[in-house]
Amino acid sequence: MPEKTTTPRDLSPVVERLNSEFTGVHDTATIARCVDAARQGALDVTGRATPELVERIARQHLQVLALAFAERR
């Protein structure tokens, strides 16, 4: 059974913005997992995870994933 990811409420707008930006590229579950991973990474490295920082990190990761998938086609 796939692992369910719950995004903190303050990051829900981040998921929504990235979901709009990456419609047709990544599904919502992938975006939510990426936001959660970006949040955890920011906390581990800097000790804080503002929505702005998390969004920038997640966007970069999603762009790299999109490029990697495009190259495989």
Side-chain angles (χ1 to χ4, degrees):
M1 188 158 100
E3 184 177 318
K4 182 162 170 81
T5 304
T6 55
T7 302
R9 193 173 302 144
D10 62 330
L11 294 177
S12 292
V14 171
V15 173
E16 291 172 18
R17 281 192 296 275
L18 292 172
N19 198 36
S20 293
E21 186 175 332
F22 289 95
T23 297
V25 179
H26 299 298
D27 61 28
T28 304
T30 299
I31 292 168
R33 283 192 306 272
C34 194
V35 167
D36 290 338
R39 176 183 169 274
Q40 189 60 51
L43 285 172
D44 289 346
V45 172
T46 68
R48 46 180 239 169
T50 64
E52 296 80 14
L53 177 60
V54 171
E55 185 169 351
R56 283 197 325 256
I57 294 168
R59 179 176 288 110
Q60 289 177 346
H61 290 181
L62 291 164
Q63 289 168 341
V64 169
L65 274 176
L67 286 172
F69 288 144
E71 287 177 0
R72 289 178 49 190
R73 292 183 186 170

